[in-house]
Amino acid sequence: MKNYPTKNIRNILLLGHGGSGKTTLVEAMAFNAGAVDRIGRIDEGNTLSDFDDEEKRRMFSISSSVIPIEYGGHKINIIDAPGYFDFVGESAAALEVADAVIIVVDALAGVQVGTEKAIEMLKKAQVPAFIVVNKIDRENAKIGKVVEALKASFGNKVVPFIQPWGEGDEMRGVVNIVDMTGRERKDNRCFDAEVPADLIKVLEPYREMIMESVAQTSEDLMEKYFDGEELTTEEIHHGLRQGVLEGDLVPVMAMSATQNIGVETLENMIIDYLPSPDEGRGAIGTDPRDSKEIERPVSEEAPFSARIFKTIIDPFVGKLSIFKVMGGTLNSETEIIDANQDAKAKVNHIYVLRGNKQIEVDSLGAGDIGAFSKLTEVKTGDTLCDPADPILYPPIDFPKPVISMAIDAKDKGSIDKLSTGLHRLIEEDPTIAVTRNNETKQTVISGIGEMQLEIISHKLKQKFDVDVELSPMKVPYRETIKKSADAEGKHKKQSGGSGQYGHVFVKFEPMSDPNDAFRFVDKVVGGAVPRNFIPAVEKGLEECMQHGVLAGYPVTGVQATLYDGSYHPVDSDEMSFKMAAALAYREGMKKANPVILEPIYSLKITVPEEYMGDVMGDLNKKRGRIMGMEPAVDGEQVITAEAPLSELEKYATELRSMTQARGSFEMAFARYEEAPAAIAEKVIADANGGASEEKSGKKEKGKKDKKKK
């Protein structure tokens, strides 16, 4: 694949609801460009985009892929992003390097939730866009209905550019309304054909709509249009391109990717109307040496810089870092550094990826997309640049994890392999987080949705040969006390020779905030407990506070005051006083009305207004408290609430179900509160029941052993 100048490159991101036909559209575009001999099929597992085993098995995309094609003297880098919400991080990363977006809509299903999400992302990114209405050859498919639905989001910016020639099974081809030229399908391709006069008459109002849009791009054209003068082809194309680049026009194009109808017309319009990298957003970053903002054009004359937006980890191929050249030219001799880590990076090979195929190239110019291999320290979001003229681009804003589960290897001998596999998969997908909860002794994996976590478990088996099981995350409860109590602890042991003696009086009191850490107070007078043994008492109590007397959970919000005791001049030592403190702890905490505390999380839930009642009713069932509501953009409402963590185990899935995936939320730890009696009883029973069963099991085993003897 040859090196293309910046002006002949197009970086296009495909977004849309899952199943709308993005991957099939990529296949048809690649076929027309001669990159493949036939259009691959998802059900046959032979598409360029969905090359991962898990994608083939499930028959949908779970990772974005870059498919470069050479068409009409241009290079079009197509980024095919997953349509399912669990993998929205892939779209977020790709948006950082795309210069335009194509939103793919199913002609029968119309505007779906995934379409709405794509439109939201597009508005946030503020890049030019096309809308492809796919599967227009299906029975009962009507592009007019889809266009009307799209106007709810875009208004009069939506302008039909490609209309179907025929409907359903009788669809013959498409008509380019801009030029009023037709393309008729024969075999697997479309060819130029004369548009029938009766169809021209039907489509004339659409062309008039386009002419009005062109006229609004400049005062000269507006004057010419209202004077009744005919606009030239050059004026029409220039005006439309300006409108698209400035976001004033969103062209709509009808087609059938499976039949390859209208796809070549789309490819030509990508070249004609969508921006090259130097016409899109400039490169804005900071100087890592002084943090001053830098703005650079995407130009081959600029100093070299590139942005890593995706990482692929393969146990056999190794690590691939996919990047976009933001400035300058890259070749194997280019000296570069990783600005995020202030470390040199050695370039050995430069690749262009087409799905899972690596095509080695000598160089890449500004605006192009490529890949490095074996840059082990480089991470997604890092900036690579010229050490003499460094720049640091802002980090990619990935969505935060909202669902967590415990993960463990089925074979305890595979713990190291599990750790390695998780580390590698986090490099691939930064929306995944893995933490170790030392309190519950669980490894916790967090992500965007249950499907994402399930797929991770399959990848660990496929790629790293480790079987894992996912289970609910244990809730980290706490314990505290509600009243004051005095307790005596005396440890005395005599077994010949030097003995052990420690004796303390401790007062246990609840603190004003049960979330406060344990506090130790020394009020001993007259040397009842020698000064050198008081730290041992404090340490003994601190260790005991890690295990409450009700269910064994850590204790918070307690003040322990040592106020009296006694000692033996020979037998007393630090260990004796630690043991005495433990005895006082057990007695005092039981008398001080101990209770269970549960973690409370704050929630920020964003939902369309029509789902407010369902969401608030569900929160009430979860023992939640509504703290407030306020309007957001596009008719959405933001609900702030609090709820116990134990009720939020699968809230991401439940909210998605309640709102047809239109709702989103963020959660963060707020504090601990006393659990209701019924909840506390269950927590205590679960904690002590397991121990009781274990003890009873040992007793039963002992009885059987005695009988055998």
Side-chain angles (χ1 to χ4, degrees), residues 107-108 133-146 162-175 183 196 198-199 202-203 206 254-256 259 261:
L108 275 178
V133 181
N134 191 25
K135 307 180 184 180
I136 199 68
D137 58 322
R138 298 274 184 93
E139 189 178 353
N140 298 321
K142 302 286 185 182
I143 190 171
K145 289 182 180 178
V146 180
I162 305 176
Q163 283 286 98
W165 181 350
E167 291 184 351
D169 294 338
E170 297 180 0
M171 184 177 179
R172 295 171 55 186
V174 292
V175 178
R183 297 278 290 175
D198 57 341
L199 183 56
V202 171
L203 297 179
Y206 293 114
M255 66 188 56
S256 168
Q259 300 293 325
I261 298 176

Side-chain angles (χ1 to χ4, degrees), residues 13 15 95-96 98 101 118-128 281:
L13 172 61
L15 296 176
L95 264 175
E96 296 289 334
V101 166
I119 291 170
E120 287 174 19
M121 296 181 80
L122 170 65
K123 289 179 177 179
K124 186 177 178 181
Q126 294 185 324
V127 294
R281 300 169 292 185

Side-chain angles (χ1 to χ4, degrees), residues 559-581:
Q559 176 175 295
T561 304
L562 174 65
Y563 62 90
D564 203 358
S566 64
Y567 71 100
H568 189 280
V570 176
D571 293 345
S572 290
D573 58 13
E574 290 185 354
M575 182 55 68
S576 299
F577 274 94
K578 280 184 70 174
M579 297 295 289

Side-chain angles (χ1 to χ4, degrees), residues 135-337:
K135 307 180 184 180
I136 199 68
D137 58 322
R138 298 274 184 93
E139 189 178 353
N140 298 321
K142 302 286 185 182
I143 190 171
K145 289 182 180 178
V146 180
V147 171
E148 288 304 311
L150 289 167
K151 283 184 177 179
S153 296
F154 292 106
N156 291 329
K157 290 182 179 181
V158 174
V159 179
F161 267 35
I162 305 176
Q163 283 286 98
W165 181 350
E167 291 184 351
D169 294 338
E170 297 180 0
M171 184 177 179
R172 295 171 55 186
V174 292
V175 178
N176 176 346
I177 301 178
V178 177
D179 300 324
M180 272 304 181
T181 55
R183 297 278 290 175
E184 190 173 10
R185 185 178 188 271
K186 292 178 182 177
D187 298 323
N188 287 331
R189 305 293 288 264
C190 285
F191 299 90
D192 290 341
E194 186 176 347
V195 183
D198 57 341
L199 183 56
I200 290 177
K201 190 174 182 181
V202 171
L203 297 179
E204 196 58 50
Y206 293 114
R207 193 168 193 277
E208 189 63 29
M209 189 189 307
I210 291 175
M211 293 304 105
E212 288 182 17
S213 300
V214 171
Q216 292 173 18
T217 60
S218 78
E219 291 184 7
D220 291 340
L221 292 179
M222 180 76 78
E223 186 176 338
K224 190 174 181 180
Y225 175 75
F226 281 115
D227 286 344
E229 294 184 46
E230 193 75 24
L231 301 179
T232 67
T233 301
E234 185 178 338
E235 287 173 333
I236 293 169
H237 286 190
H238 178 75
L240 289 177
R241 192 167 199 273
Q242 285 300 113
V244 172
L245 294 185
E246 292 171 10
D248 295 329
L249 294 180
V250 181
V252 179
M253 305 179 181
M255 66 188 56
S256 168
T258 55
Q259 300 293 325
N260 198 14
I261 298 176
V263 179
E264 281 184 290
T265 307
L266 168 67
E267 289 171 296
N268 289 321
M269 287 190 167
I270 286 173
I271 293 170
D272 292 341
Y273 297 109
L274 291 181
S276 57
D278 55 350
E279 294 177 301
R281 300 169 292 185
I284 300 176
T286 56
D287 189 327
R289 296 168 297 191
D290 56 18
S291 299
K292 288 184 179 178
E293 186 173 281
I294 303 172
E295 184 171 357
R296 290 179 181 169
V298 180
S299 164
E300 293 173 358
E301 282 70 46
F304 170 76
S305 65
R307 195 173 190 188
I308 306 293
F309 69 94
K310 182 174 174 61
T311 301
I312 298 175
I313 303 291
D314 190 289
F316 305 105
V317 177
K319 180 176 178 178
L320 289 170
S321 302
I322 307 175
F323 61 88
K324 178 183 179 183
V325 180
M326 306 301 292
T329 300
L330 173 70
N331 56 51
S332 58
E333 297 178 359
T334 305
E335 188 178 352
I336 61 175
I337 61 167

Side-chain angles (χ1 to χ4, degrees), residues 32-54:
N32 294 334
V36 292
D37 295 329
R38 61 180 289 241
I39 296 175
R41 293 173 58 93
I42 293 170
D43 56 356
E44 293 177 4
N46 59 358
T47 64
L48 291 170
S49 299
D50 294 351
F51 54 84
D52 185 86
D53 289 341
E54 198 65 22

